Amino acid sequence: MEKERAYRSVSFCIMNRGFSPIFITAAISIAALLAVAGWQIDASLRERSAATSYVAETNASSTSLLDTSASSILSSDPSTTPLGSAVFDELVAQYLSLQDGGLYTPETGERAAEKMAEELKVPISYRAYTAADISTDPDSSYVRMLAYRGELQESLAPLLRNTQAEYEIFAYYVNTKDKTYLEKLQRAAQNYRAAAGATALVVPPQDAFGQHLGILNAMGEFAATLDALVANADDPFAAVVLLRTYNEAEARVLASFQALAKYYREKQS
């Protein structure tokens, strides 16, 4: 009975968390931040145009002028991370392409930032499980499902230690810059990894293989995403891009647990 309550608590926490406010605002935040960067790059472009009005330069040298000016925007900020720099470099390349094609205006620059905000993706590296990593039990009976659910009650227990939504923890850090919130976010990631590691040792019924693999990889991806947020928390360019990744990883966790719940319901009917 105690294990049953624990399992229901885990399921409730995962499946009733809903989508975070970050899900709604992430794209807007990215577009707004890139627009600010665009204004700074626009100033660099005007500087470049002024220089080329007096001195005949090759395309390479004028590009170098913009690169140097744009790089100085980030070099003065010690919180810049490689990911944030990569995002900024991509934005510079977009603006350069417009400028070199004679298409640049503040309006086209703003549209380029908005389009980039829609398309930005951050690859997250994590331990991805495959069919070769999972042993299954050919017994797909209702009794075997009950036993499997009991084993998951134990393997998912580390998630019970995550008592606060991760996006809230990150939001508190953004507002306060209190490092204890980043430490809390790191512990949340560790709990997801611990749950994934323990669940990888559970042998599912053969007909639950897809659901089992789904929760394993969703938990691993989400843990890695939280790690990336912690590592890039002070770089606004990296952080706002990672929020999109966070939204997608969080949605996959929710979907994987919903699929598992559906499997249980279908076995009971």
Side-chain angles (χ1 to χ4, degrees), residues 142-163:
Y142 177 75
V143 172
R144 180 66 185 89
M145 180 276 286
L146 291 177
Y148 169 59
R149 188 172 69 176
E151 292 167 358
L152 287 186
Q153 290 167 9
E154 296 185 4
S155 69
L156 295 175
L159 298 186
L160 292 172
R161 296 195 285 268
N162 293 350
T163 58

Side-chain angles (χ1 to χ4, degrees), residues 30-101:
I30 296 170
L33 184 60
L34 294 181
V36 170
W39 299 333
Q40 294 172 310
I41 295 173
D42 184 36
S44 297
L45 288 169
R46 287 197 300 270
E47 178 184 340
R48 170 177 143 175
S49 296
T52 54
S53 296
Y54 297 101
V55 181
E57 296 181 314
T58 64
N59 191 52
S61 63
S62 60
T63 298
S64 176
L65 173 62
L66 175 57
D67 289 343
T68 300
S69 182
S71 296
S72 67
I73 298 170
L74 294 185
S75 62
S76 60
D77 185 355
S79 65
T80 299
T81 65
L83 175 58
S85 295
V87 172
F88 192 82
D89 288 346
E90 175 63 21
L91 185 60
V92 169
Q94 296 257 4
Y95 278 73
L96 273 175
S97 177
L98 290 171
Q99 178 73 2
D100 291 340

